[in-house]
Amino acid sequence: MSSEGYPLNKVLRVRPATRAQRAPRMRRLGAGLLARAALLGLTVGMVLLVLFDWLYDFEIIAVPLALFTRATLLAVFAIYLVQTGVNFGAYGFRFGKILFYFLGLNLVYTAFSGDILGNLYHTSRIAFWILAAVVAYRLALSGALTEKILQRAIGATVFLGAAFTIYFMTQGDTEAGQNASAYLLLWCLPLLLLSSRSSANIMLLALAAVAILLTVKRGAMIGLGLSSVAYALAYMKLHGNARAFARMLGIAVVLGAVGAYALSQNWEAVETRFEDTSGSGRDKMYAGLYEHWIHAEPLNVAFGFGINSVQQYTPVMFGSNKERGPYAHSDWIQMMHDFGLLGIGFLVWLHAQFLSLIRRSYRIRHPYTPALAMGYVTLFLVNIYSGHLMSPGAVYCGLLLAFSAAVVDRSTPLAKRSGATRLVQR
């Protein structure tokens, strides 16, 4: 079955008049100047962000163009949503309510914080990837954002991110363990694998793998390994034949050889990084933040200590004179301390909905299933030891969820969808 799914006339068992009324509404989501601007933002804009970030880091440009570009894209996405409907869950977007809840949580806590302007900027960074995800879903649902267009944008992003990372890490004075574009590339892999395994995609996958391994960023390396295993297992489970096994084995051998070569060029740094079993001090930070939360007043356990409370508490915990310390390097710990049970509830809800999407995809034998399995393992891991959802870099996670949900929902018989009646009635 193609990634485009079943024809609508076979999927939607409703009256012809209902289908005729619904189709134009879907098409309008991708029509007009504003929709085209939003589409360019999701594709060309994302590539420019990577380029501008690296050019600024290398001091080739003196102005942080990525910051202004991100602000412009945020405004375009917001205006598009005002035009098409501010209800994030409209048009059947299953992640809409979750994303609205998370954004609303940050906005409410910002309003009652002691640093409204600073926390508002922090929230705007979160709003960037959330609004981008909602926009991507609607454009994909309308047919404006196609797999081909998305693949071109992700391919260009991977090429730029990997090329700059490899150049950066091969400079003599660059220390191992640099983030560079490691996590960006890690999230781009399942997006690349939504498409067919073409030779160009395999080359980009190899290039991304080399770049990730050269950073010797342990979290990204573990994510690369385990998410790749998840993809291979899901692929073989979905196709279940010797040819699928041979294909996965061949790709594994090629990527394994490339990875081994990349690691051998910096093996001393690899050994040094993995000798540190404390997670660069994360064990003490996690334990300290958890103890502070669990032994707090019931009100703090339920609602946390406020937005960005981790950065305010870590200097106290480590006996530092700084006004602000590091963030938690874990979405679970950060949201637990900042928002209490409300934050933990968001993450549980997000993971449950992601698993539900994978389940629906597998039930209809959709070819996106392996890439979704890969993406879930990536999310599961980075939520634990990295901290991802509080930065605009989570936009690639949002793109994966939004685009896949739009395509899988179009491919799922309406009678099997929860909330299908509401979608038809709208």
Side-chain angles (χ1 to χ4, degrees):
M1 182 179 64
S2 69
S3 62
E4 295 300 322
Y6 303 116
L8 283 176
N9 62 343
K10 294 183 179 180
V11 173
L12 305 176
R13 298 183 181 280
V14 295
R15 296 188 305 273
T18 305
R19 290 200 304 271
Q21 292 169 359
R22 182 172 176 268
R25 188 180 184 190
M26 295 298 104
R27 286 197 297 269
R28 282 199 297 271
L29 291 173
L33 182 62
L34 190 55
R36 289 195 290 271
L39 181 61
L40 283 174
L42 287 174
T43 52
V44 178
M46 296 301 168
V47 178
L48 290 177
L49 284 176
V50 176
L51 178 62
F52 291 156
D53 269 332
W54 275 109
L55 292 180
Y56 184 72
D57 287 343
F58 281 122
E59 299 181 349
I60 296 175
I61 56 176
V63 180
L65 290 178
L67 182 64
F68 298 111
T69 303
R70 194 174 293 116
T72 302
L73 294 178
L74 178 60
V76 171
F77 297 154
I79 296 170
Y80 174 82
L81 291 181
V82 169
Q83 183 188 64
T84 58
V86 294
N87 179 4
F88 287 12
Y91 310 102
F93 187 31
R94 299 171 185 276
F95 292 93
K97 291 182 180 179
I98 305 173
L99 299 181
F100 181 79
Y101 171 82
F102 183 44
L103 181 58
L105 199 63
N106 280 273
L107 286 171
V108 170
Y109 274 63
T110 293
F112 290 94
S113 69
D115 181 16
I116 293 179
L117 289 179
N119 290 326
L120 192 59
Y121 171 71
H122 168 79
T123 302
S124 72
R125 290 163 57 83
I126 296 172
F128 174 76
W129 77 262
I130 289 179
L131 266 59
V134 180
V135 170
Y137 177 82
R138 295 183 184 183
L139 292 176
L141 201 64
S142 71
L145 178 61
T146 64
E147 185 181 281
K148 185 177 182 180
I149 291 174
L150 181 63
Q151 288 293 298
R152 286 176 177 174
I154 296 301
T157 300
V158 168
F159 179 78
L160 283 175
F164 276 115
T165 298
I166 291 171
Y167 174 77
F168 176 64
M169 294 306 304
T170 51
Q171 301 303 298
D173 57 346
T174 302
E175 295 182 3
Q178 299 294 322
N179 188 15
S181 290
Y183 282 104
L184 178 151
L185 294 170
L186 188 62
W187 269 113
C188 283
L189 296 183
L191 284 164
L192 269 181
L193 289 167
L194 290 177
S195 182
S196 59
R197 270 61 58 191
S198 65
S199 56
N201 271 9
I202 292 175
M203 289 176 63
L204 287 170
L205 289 170
L207 187 64
V210 169
I212 291 171
L213 294 174
L214 281 177
T215 64
V216 199
K217 193 72 176 173
R218 289 168 298 181
M221 293 169 67
I222 293 170
L224 174 64
L226 293 183
S227 65
S228 298
V229 170
Y231 179 89
L233 292 176
Y235 186 89
M236 288 186 286
K237 176 70 174 177
L238 186 68
H239 296 281
N241 54 48
R243 184 179 178 182
F245 177 78
R247 181 191 290 270
M248 284 296 100
L249 183 62
I251 294 176
V253 169
V254 172
L255 294 181
V258 171
Y261 174 77
L263 289 175
S264 68
Q265 302 304 300
N266 203 15
W267 188 249
E268 184 177 347
V270 175
E271 290 182 322
T272 302
R273 290 284 294 167
F274 279 88
E275 282 175 358
D276 175 16
T277 58
S278 69
S280 300
R282 283 178 172 83
D283 55 349
K284 294 180 180 179
M285 181 185 292
Y286 293 169
L289 291 171
Y290 174 75
E291 290 295 322
H292 183 236
W293 173 73
I294 198 65
H295 295 300
E297 296 293 329
L299 195 65
N300 293 121
V301 172
F303 301 105
F305 296 92
I307 189 169
N308 286 326
S309 64
V310 169
Q311 292 90 314
Q312 298 168 26
Y313 179 69
T314 45
V316 177
M317 186 171 64
F318 291 120
S320 171
N321 294 324
K322 296 180 179 179
E323 291 186 7
R324 293 177 66 84
Y327 67 98
H329 291 278
S330 166
D331 287 319
W332 287 100
I333 300 295
Q334 183 81 36
M335 293 190 194
M336 172 199 75
H337 198 273
D338 285 1
F339 306 125
L341 295 178
L342 297 180
I344 294 174
F346 159 70
L347 285 173
V348 171
W349 191 6
L350 177 64
H351 281 261
Q353 195 63 261
F354 202 153
L355 290 171
S356 175
L357 175 61
I358 295 173
R359 178 174 173 270
R360 293 199 313 275
S361 178
Y362 177 73
R363 286 181 64 183
I364 62 172
R365 318 296 291 181
H366 200 282
Y368 282 6
T369 305
L372 285 171
M374 185 181 201
Y376 178 75
V377 169
T378 300
L379 179 68
F380 181 85
L381 293 172
V382 299
N383 281 168
I384 293 174
Y385 57 64
S386 179
H388 188 68
L389 300 178
M390 293 155 290
S391 73
V395 67
Y396 300 99
C397 172
L399 284 175
L400 177 66
L401 295 177
F403 187 80
S404 300
V407 174
V408 170
D409 277 349
R410 285 209 313 263
S411 307
T412 305
L414 190 60
K416 293 183 180 180
R417 301 189 209 170
S418 62
T421 304
R422 293 193 301 274
L423 181 61
V424 172
Q425 287 176 346
R426 284 198 296 266

